[in-house]
Amino acid sequence: MSSVDNKDPQQVFLLQQAQQYPQLSAHYETLEELYRKKLYHQLTKALYQFIFNDANYVDDKNMIMLYVNFIAKIQRSLNSIELSRLIVRISKQFESLQDALEFLDKICIEDKDSKNSKNKAMITSDASGDGNSLLFAHGSVAWMIVQCEIGSLYLIGSLVPQCKQIMDEITELLDRCEHSALYSQYYRVCLQYYKVMGAPQQYLEHSLKFLTHTKAQDLPKQEQLLFGSDICLAALLSEQCYNFSTLLSHDLIQLLQRTEFDWLYQIICIFNTGDLNAWKTYCLRHEERLKSHETIRNSLAFLEQKIRLMALVELVFQTPAHERCISFDTISTQCRLQMDEVEMVLIRAMSLQLIRGIIDEVDKTVTVSYCVPRFLQNAQIADLRQGIQRWIEKIKNTQQDISVQLKTNKLEGI
C-alpha cells in the first residue's frame, strides 16, 4: 500500500479506507491510483463498478463517507450524468428516509431567489466547497435523475402529491432529453406511483418501458424478486393484459422460479396456456395461499373470467388454420362455459384483439382469421412441431397424388 506521506486529503482518506476495510482494499487502492493520475474517465467507471456492487456495502456508512470525503471534492471533474447516478445509488444506504431526502436536497435544491433562471439546482458549500456555483442545471439530465429519486422517496413517505408534482415537471422536460439512465429513473418512479394508485395496467406498461432501459441484473437481488412479483400481479389484475407471453420472455420473471414467489410464476404459466384443469388443480392445492393474499382473493372472480378467455385463445391456437371454423359446442366444452355465455366471451375476445373472425349466430360457429401471437412453452413447441410434421406429410401425400395422376394422364394420352 502506498505511503500516506505527501498525499492530499482525498488520497489519505482512500488509503485509510483500504486499511479499515481490508476486503475492499483493492478497490480503494485502484480509486487512489486513478485519482492520483487524474484519469477521471477511468475513475468514474471504477466508482460505478464499486458503488453499484451490493457486496461492497459492508456497513451502514462506507459509501456515504466515500461521497462526503472523496467524491464531493472531485465531482466537478466527473461526468455529471454518471455522477447523478452514483449519488442516487449512495442515497439508498441511508436507513432513514429523512436522512436520504436531506442528502439529496443538499445535492440538488431549488434556488427560490432565481425562479426564472435556467440554473436552479445548487450544491451546498459543504458538498462542493463552492457554494456560489451550480452543480446540475435545472432541466438537465443529471438534475432530473436526482429529482426522480426524490420523487421516489416522497412515495415511500406517502407524500404522493409532492411526487406527482415532480413527475409532472419532468414529464414536460423529458422530450428534450434522450438518455437511457434518465428514462430508467423516470419509468421506475412512474411504475411506483401507479402501484400506489392501484392502477395495474399503467403499472405494467411503465414496468415494461423501464425494462427496456434497465438491465434486471443491475437491480439488487431482492428488489428483482419483488419487482418481478409485482409485474406478475399487475398482469393478472389488469383488464387489458392478456399477453402473458411477453412477461415470460423477460429474465426478470424467470428469476421467480424456485423462490418465495414461484407460486406467482406458476399462475402466469397456467394463464399463458389457458389450462383450466391446471388452474382448478392449482386453486384446490393452494387454496390457503390464494385466500391469504388479499389482492388475489378479491379478484378470483375476475381471474376465472380471464383464464376462460385465455382458454379460448389456446383452443384457437391449437386448431389448424384451415380448420378454424369452431362450433359453440366445442368452445363451451373447452372453456367450460354455458352455451348462452359463448357469444359474449367471443365478443369480449374480439374487442381485446385476442382473436379476429366472424360469428355465425345461426349455425352457432365462429370462423377465426387471426389469433394473438404468443410465447411458446415446451409443450406448445412440441405441439407446433407435430403440426409442422403433419403439414409436411400432407404435402408429401399431395405430391405423390399429383405424380400418380400425371403418370396416369400420360399413359392415357391425355
Side-chain angles (χ1 to χ4, degrees), residues 193-215:
Y193 172 79
Y194 287 118
K195 179 180 178 180
V196 171
M197 298 302 293
Q201 181 59 28
Q202 290 88 337
Y203 176 90
L204 185 61
E205 290 173 357
H206 285 82
S207 295
L208 296 178
K209 290 177 181 178
F210 171 75
L211 289 173
T212 63
H213 297 280
T214 309
K215 294 180 180 178

PDB file of all heavy atoms in Angstrom, residues 193-215:
ATOM      1  N   TYR A 193     -45.408   4.972  -8.665  1.00  0.00           N
ATOM      2  CA  TYR A 193     -46.567   5.846  -8.457  1.00  0.00           C
ATOM      3  C   TYR A 193     -47.870   5.104  -8.787  1.00  0.00           C
ATOM      4  O   TYR A 193     -48.842   5.148  -8.019  1.00  0.00           O
ATOM      5  CB  TYR A 193     -46.429   7.098  -9.328  1.00  0.00           C
ATOM      6  CG  TYR A 193     -47.652   7.982  -9.340  1.00  0.00           C
ATOM      7  CD1 TYR A 193     -47.924   8.849  -8.287  1.00  0.00           C
ATOM      8  CD2 TYR A 193     -48.547   7.943 -10.412  1.00  0.00           C
ATOM      9  CE1 TYR A 193     -49.053   9.654  -8.296  1.00  0.00           C
ATOM     10  CE2 TYR A 193     -49.678   8.748 -10.435  1.00  0.00           C
ATOM     11  CZ  TYR A 193     -49.920   9.604  -9.374  1.00  0.00           C
ATOM     12  OH  TYR A 193     -51.041  10.399  -9.381  1.00  0.00           O
ATOM     13  N   TYR A 194     -47.886   4.405  -9.925  1.00  0.00           N
ATOM     14  CA  TYR A 194     -49.102   3.692 -10.320  1.00  0.00           C
ATOM     15  C   TYR A 194     -49.382   2.505  -9.405  1.00  0.00           C
ATOM     16  O   TYR A 194     -50.538   2.097  -9.244  1.00  0.00           O
ATOM     17  CB  TYR A 194     -49.009   3.248 -11.775  1.00  0.00           C
ATOM     18  CG  TYR A 194     -49.149   4.409 -12.741  1.00  0.00           C
ATOM     19  CD1 TYR A 194     -48.106   4.756 -13.608  1.00  0.00           C
ATOM     20  CD2 TYR A 194     -50.316   5.164 -12.767  1.00  0.00           C
ATOM     21  CE1 TYR A 194     -48.237   5.841 -14.476  1.00  0.00           C
ATOM     22  CE2 TYR A 194     -50.458   6.240 -13.629  1.00  0.00           C
ATOM     23  CZ  TYR A 194     -49.418   6.574 -14.476  1.00  0.00           C
ATOM     24  OH  TYR A 194     -49.552   7.642 -15.325  1.00  0.00           O
ATOM     25  N   LYS A 195     -48.350   1.963  -8.801  1.00  0.00           N
ATOM     26  CA  LYS A 195     -48.567   0.899  -7.819  1.00  0.00           C
ATOM     27  C   LYS A 195     -49.301   1.456  -6.605  1.00  0.00           C
ATOM     28  O   LYS A 195     -50.257   0.851  -6.108  1.00  0.00           O
ATOM     29  CB  LYS A 195     -47.232   0.280  -7.388  1.00  0.00           C
ATOM     30  CG  LYS A 195     -47.383  -0.808  -6.344  1.00  0.00           C
ATOM     31  CD  LYS A 195     -46.031  -1.392  -5.936  1.00  0.00           C
ATOM     32  CE  LYS A 195     -46.197  -2.450  -4.848  1.00  0.00           C
ATOM     33  NZ  LYS A 195     -44.900  -3.038  -4.440  1.00  0.00           N
ATOM     34  N   VAL A 196     -48.857   2.615  -6.140  1.00  0.00           N
ATOM     35  CA  VAL A 196     -49.507   3.264  -5.003  1.00  0.00           C
ATOM     36  C   VAL A 196     -50.950   3.625  -5.346  1.00  0.00           C
ATOM     37  O   VAL A 196     -51.854   3.487  -4.518  1.00  0.00           O
ATOM     38  CB  VAL A 196     -48.717   4.522  -4.579  1.00  0.00           C
ATOM     39  CG1 VAL A 196     -49.501   5.330  -3.544  1.00  0.00           C
ATOM     40  CG2 VAL A 196     -47.360   4.132  -4.012  1.00  0.00           C
ATOM     41  N   MET A 197     -51.173   4.062  -6.592  1.00  0.00           N
ATOM     42  CA  MET A 197     -52.508   4.490  -7.006  1.00  0.00           C
ATOM     43  C   MET A 197     -53.418   3.301  -7.358  1.00  0.00           C
ATOM     44  O   MET A 197     -54.606   3.490  -7.615  1.00  0.00           O
ATOM     45  CB  MET A 197     -52.403   5.423  -8.220  1.00  0.00           C
ATOM     46  CG  MET A 197     -51.640   6.702  -7.945  1.00  0.00           C
ATOM     47  SD  MET A 197     -52.343   7.672  -6.592  1.00  0.00           S
ATOM     48  CE  MET A 197     -53.899   8.165  -7.300  1.00  0.00           C
ATOM     49  N   GLY A 198     -52.862   2.084  -7.375  1.00  0.00           N
ATOM     50  CA  GLY A 198     -53.667   0.897  -7.663  1.00  0.00           C
ATOM     51  C   GLY A 198     -54.140   0.826  -9.099  1.00  0.00           C
ATOM     52  O   GLY A 198     -55.301   0.483  -9.359  1.00  0.00           O
ATOM     53  N   ALA A 199     -53.245   1.145 -10.047  1.00  0.00           N
ATOM     54  CA  ALA A 199     -53.573   1.106 -11.478  1.00  0.00           C
ATOM     55  C   ALA A 199     -52.706   0.049 -12.147  1.00  0.00           C
ATOM     56  O   ALA A 199     -51.613   0.355 -12.632  1.00  0.00           O
ATOM     57  CB  ALA A 199     -53.342   2.480 -12.110  1.00  0.00           C
ATOM     58  N   PRO A 200     -53.166  -1.220 -12.190  1.00  0.00           N
ATOM     59  CA  PRO A 200     -52.306  -2.318 -12.669  1.00  0.00           C
ATOM     60  C   PRO A 200     -51.864  -2.191 -14.117  1.00  0.00           C
ATOM     61  O   PRO A 200     -50.727  -2.513 -14.451  1.00  0.00           O
ATOM     62  CB  PRO A 200     -53.165  -3.569 -12.448  1.00  0.00           C
ATOM     63  CG  PRO A 200     -54.559  -3.077 -12.334  1.00  0.00           C
ATOM     64  CD  PRO A 200     -54.468  -1.719 -11.739  1.00  0.00           C
ATOM     65  N   GLN A 201     -52.745  -1.728 -15.021  1.00  0.00           N
ATOM     66  CA  GLN A 201     -52.372  -1.640 -16.432  1.00  0.00           C
ATOM     67  C   GLN A 201     -51.282  -0.597 -16.650  1.00  0.00           C
ATOM     68  O   GLN A 201     -50.289  -0.833 -17.348  1.00  0.00           O
ATOM     69  CB  GLN A 201     -53.589  -1.317 -17.295  1.00  0.00           C
ATOM     70  CG  GLN A 201     -53.294  -1.225 -18.790  1.00  0.00           C
ATOM     71  CD  GLN A 201     -52.709  -2.508 -19.368  1.00  0.00           C
ATOM     72  OE1 GLN A 201     -52.974  -3.593 -18.865  1.00  0.00           O
ATOM     73  NE2 GLN A 201     -51.934  -2.382 -20.427  1.00  0.00           N
ATOM     74  N   GLN A 202     -51.435   0.577 -16.025  1.00  0.00           N
ATOM     75  CA  GLN A 202     -50.405   1.624 -16.141  1.00  0.00           C
ATOM     76  C   GLN A 202     -49.105   1.175 -15.497  1.00  0.00           C
ATOM     77  O   GLN A 202     -48.015   1.461 -16.007  1.00  0.00           O
ATOM     78  CB  GLN A 202     -50.890   2.931 -15.504  1.00  0.00           C
ATOM     79  CG  GLN A 202     -51.992   3.630 -16.278  1.00  0.00           C
ATOM     80  CD  GLN A 202     -53.381   3.152 -15.881  1.00  0.00           C
ATOM     81  OE1 GLN A 202     -53.533   2.049 -15.357  1.00  0.00           O
ATOM     82  NE2 GLN A 202     -54.392   3.976 -16.120  1.00  0.00           N
ATOM     83  N   TYR A 203     -49.225   0.456 -14.374  1.00  0.00           N
ATOM     84  CA  TYR A 203     -48.029  -0.074 -13.727  1.00  0.00           C
ATOM     85  C   TYR A 203     -47.303  -1.037 -14.667  1.00  0.00           C
ATOM     86  O   TYR A 203     -46.078  -0.967 -14.820  1.00  0.00           O
ATOM     87  CB  TYR A 203     -48.404  -0.796 -12.430  1.00  0.00           C
ATOM     88  CG  TYR A 203     -47.223  -1.461 -11.744  1.00  0.00           C
ATOM     89  CD1 TYR A 203     -46.469  -0.763 -10.810  1.00  0.00           C
ATOM     90  CD2 TYR A 203     -46.855  -2.772 -12.046  1.00  0.00           C
ATOM     91  CE1 TYR A 203     -45.380  -1.355 -10.191  1.00  0.00           C
ATOM     92  CE2 TYR A 203     -45.763  -3.361 -11.438  1.00  0.00           C
ATOM     93  CZ  TYR A 203     -45.039  -2.652 -10.510  1.00  0.00           C
ATOM     94  OH  TYR A 203     -43.936  -3.247  -9.918  1.00  0.00           O
ATOM     95  N   LEU A 204     -48.053  -1.906 -15.294  1.00  0.00           N
ATOM     96  CA  LEU A 204     -47.464  -2.902 -16.185  1.00  0.00           C
ATOM     97  C   LEU A 204     -46.799  -2.234 -17.387  1.00  0.00           C
ATOM     98  O   LEU A 204     -45.673  -2.581 -17.761  1.00  0.00           O
ATOM     99  CB  LEU A 204     -48.544  -3.873 -16.653  1.00  0.00           C
ATOM    100  CG  LEU A 204     -48.089  -5.047 -17.508  1.00  0.00           C
ATOM    101  CD1 LEU A 204     -47.103  -5.919 -16.752  1.00  0.00           C
ATOM    102  CD2 LEU A 204     -49.298  -5.864 -17.950  1.00  0.00           C
ATOM    103  N   GLU A 205     -47.471  -1.262 -17.990  1.00  0.00           N
ATOM    104  CA  GLU A 205     -46.924  -0.572 -19.155  1.00  0.00           C
ATOM    105  C   GLU A 205     -45.608   0.122 -18.818  1.00  0.00           C
ATOM    106  O   GLU A 205     -44.621   0.024 -19.569  1.00  0.00           O
ATOM    107  CB  GLU A 205     -47.935   0.455 -19.675  1.00  0.00           C
ATOM    108  CG  GLU A 205     -49.161  -0.170 -20.327  1.00  0.00           C
ATOM    109  CD  GLU A 205     -50.212   0.861 -20.682  1.00  0.00           C
ATOM    110  OE1 GLU A 205     -50.002   2.055 -20.363  1.00  0.00           O
ATOM    111  OE2 GLU A 205     -51.243   0.482 -21.269  1.00  0.00           O
ATOM    112  N   HIS A 206     -45.570   0.803 -17.693  1.00  0.00           N
ATOM    113  CA  HIS A 206     -44.348   1.524 -17.319  1.00  0.00           C
ATOM    114  C   HIS A 206     -43.257   0.563 -16.836  1.00  0.00           C
ATOM    115  O   HIS A 206     -42.068   0.872 -16.971  1.00  0.00           O
ATOM    116  CB  HIS A 206     -44.660   2.575 -16.249  1.00  0.00           C
ATOM    117  CG  HIS A 206     -45.358   3.792 -16.791  1.00  0.00           C
ATOM    118  ND1 HIS A 206     -46.714   3.825 -17.020  1.00  0.00           N
ATOM    119  CD2 HIS A 206     -44.881   4.997 -17.188  1.00  0.00           C
ATOM    120  CE1 HIS A 206     -47.045   5.006 -17.512  1.00  0.00           C
ATOM    121  NE2 HIS A 206     -45.955   5.729 -17.621  1.00  0.00           N
ATOM    122  N   SER A 207     -43.656  -0.582 -16.310  1.00  0.00           N
ATOM    123  CA  SER A 207     -42.662  -1.587 -15.924  1.00  0.00           C
ATOM    124  C   SER A 207     -41.919  -2.111 -17.146  1.00  0.00           C
ATOM    125  O   SER A 207     -40.699  -2.249 -17.144  1.00  0.00           O
ATOM    126  CB  SER A 207     -43.341  -2.753 -15.190  1.00  0.00           C
ATOM    127  OG  SER A 207     -43.887  -2.334 -13.971  1.00  0.00           O
ATOM    128  N   LEU A 208     -42.674  -2.410 -18.211  1.00  0.00           N
ATOM    129  CA  LEU A 208     -42.049  -2.921 -19.430  1.00  0.00           C
ATOM    130  C   LEU A 208     -41.187  -1.854 -20.092  1.00  0.00           C
ATOM    131  O   LEU A 208     -40.127  -2.157 -20.654  1.00  0.00           O
ATOM    132  CB  LEU A 208     -43.128  -3.427 -20.385  1.00  0.00           C
ATOM    133  CG  LEU A 208     -43.948  -4.617 -19.868  1.00  0.00           C
ATOM    134  CD1 LEU A 208     -45.028  -5.011 -20.868  1.00  0.00           C
ATOM    135  CD2 LEU A 208     -43.051  -5.803 -19.564  1.00  0.00           C
ATOM    136  N   LYS A 209     -41.617  -0.591 -20.013  1.00  0.00           N
ATOM    137  CA  LYS A 209     -40.788   0.502 -20.536  1.00  0.00           C
ATOM    138  C   LYS A 209     -39.512   0.640 -19.700  1.00  0.00           C
ATOM    139  O   LYS A 209     -38.430   0.887 -20.238  1.00  0.00           O
ATOM    140  CB  LYS A 209     -41.575   1.816 -20.518  1.00  0.00           C
ATOM    141  CG  LYS A 209     -42.695   1.872 -21.544  1.00  0.00           C
ATOM    142  CD  LYS A 209     -43.481   3.167 -21.442  1.00  0.00           C
ATOM    143  CE  LYS A 209     -44.618   3.209 -22.458  1.00  0.00           C
ATOM    144  NZ  LYS A 209     -45.427   4.455 -22.337  1.00  0.00           N
ATOM    145  N   PHE A 210     -39.659   0.470 -18.390  1.00  0.00           N
ATOM    146  CA  PHE A 210     -38.495   0.529 -17.505  1.00  0.00           C
ATOM    147  C   PHE A 210     -37.478  -0.548 -17.878  1.00  0.00           C
ATOM    148  O   PHE A 210     -36.273  -0.306 -17.927  1.00  0.00           O
ATOM    149  CB  PHE A 210     -38.960   0.356 -16.055  1.00  0.00           C
ATOM    150  CG  PHE A 210     -37.847   0.178 -15.061  1.00  0.00           C
ATOM    151  CD1 PHE A 210     -37.067   1.247 -14.661  1.00  0.00           C
ATOM    152  CD2 PHE A 210     -37.577  -1.072 -14.511  1.00  0.00           C
ATOM    153  CE1 PHE A 210     -36.041   1.094 -13.736  1.00  0.00           C
ATOM    154  CE2 PHE A 210     -36.559  -1.249 -13.597  1.00  0.00           C
ATOM    155  CZ  PHE A 210     -35.790  -0.155 -13.214  1.00  0.00           C
ATOM    156  N   LEU A 211     -37.975  -1.748 -18.173  1.00  0.00           N
ATOM    157  CA  LEU A 211     -37.080  -2.858 -18.501  1.00  0.00           C
ATOM    158  C   LEU A 211     -36.392  -2.694 -19.847  1.00  0.00           C
ATOM    159  O   LEU A 211     -35.372  -3.329 -20.099  1.00  0.00           O
ATOM    160  CB  LEU A 211     -37.863  -4.174 -18.461  1.00  0.00           C
ATOM    161  CG  LEU A 211     -38.272  -4.653 -17.064  1.00  0.00           C
ATOM    162  CD1 LEU A 211     -39.178  -5.868 -17.157  1.00  0.00           C
ATOM    163  CD2 LEU A 211     -37.054  -4.962 -16.219  1.00  0.00           C
ATOM    164  N   THR A 212     -36.939  -1.840 -20.723  1.00  0.00           N
ATOM    165  CA  THR A 212     -36.251  -1.585 -21.993  1.00  0.00           C
ATOM    166  C   THR A 212     -35.033  -0.688 -21.800  1.00  0.00           C
ATOM    167  O   THR A 212     -34.161  -0.643 -22.668  1.00  0.00           O
ATOM    168  CB  THR A 212     -37.201  -0.921 -23.013  1.00  0.00           C
ATOM    169  OG1 THR A 212     -37.609   0.364 -22.519  1.00  0.00           O
ATOM    170  CG2 THR A 212     -38.414  -1.783 -23.265  1.00  0.00           C
ATOM    171  N   HIS A 213     -34.974   0.004 -20.668  1.00  0.00           N
ATOM    172  CA  HIS A 213     -33.859   0.912 -20.401  1.00  0.00           C
ATOM    173  C   HIS A 213     -32.991   0.448 -19.227  1.00  0.00           C
ATOM    174  O   HIS A 213     -32.026   1.120 -18.863  1.00  0.00           O
ATOM    175  CB  HIS A 213     -34.379   2.323 -20.095  1.00  0.00           C
ATOM    176  CG  HIS A 213     -35.116   2.953 -21.232  1.00  0.00           C
ATOM    177  ND1 HIS A 213     -34.486   3.545 -22.295  1.00  0.00           N
ATOM    178  CD2 HIS A 213     -36.443   3.061 -21.492  1.00  0.00           C
ATOM    179  CE1 HIS A 213     -35.373   4.009 -23.151  1.00  0.00           C
ATOM    180  NE2 HIS A 213     -36.576   3.724 -22.686  1.00  0.00           N
ATOM    181  N   THR A 214     -33.338  -0.682 -18.635  1.00  0.00           N
ATOM    182  CA  THR A 214     -32.641  -1.145 -17.444  1.00  0.00           C
ATOM    183  C   THR A 214     -32.403  -2.644 -17.514  1.00  0.00           C
ATOM    184  O   THR A 214     -33.316  -3.404 -17.849  1.00  0.00           O
ATOM    185  CB  THR A 214     -33.471  -0.840 -16.167  1.00  0.00           C
ATOM    186  OG1 THR A 214     -33.847   0.537 -16.175  1.00  0.00           O
ATOM    187  CG2 THR A 214     -32.672  -1.149 -14.915  1.00  0.00           C
ATOM    188  N   LYS A 215     -31.203  -3.067 -17.187  1.00  0.00           N
ATOM    189  CA  LYS A 215     -30.908  -4.487 -17.089  1.00  0.00           C
ATOM    190  C   LYS A 215     -31.366  -4.974 -15.723  1.00  0.00           C
ATOM    191  O   LYS A 215     -31.005  -4.410 -14.696  1.00  0.00           O
ATOM    192  CB  LYS A 215     -29.416  -4.744 -17.265  1.00  0.00           C
ATOM    193  CG  LYS A 215     -28.893  -4.412 -18.655  1.00  0.00           C
ATOM    194  CD  LYS A 215     -27.399  -4.703 -18.751  1.00  0.00           C
ATOM    195  CE  LYS A 215     -26.871  -4.367 -20.144  1.00  0.00           C
ATOM    196  NZ  LYS A 215     -25.402  -4.608 -20.240  1.00  0.00           N
TER     197      LYS A 215
END
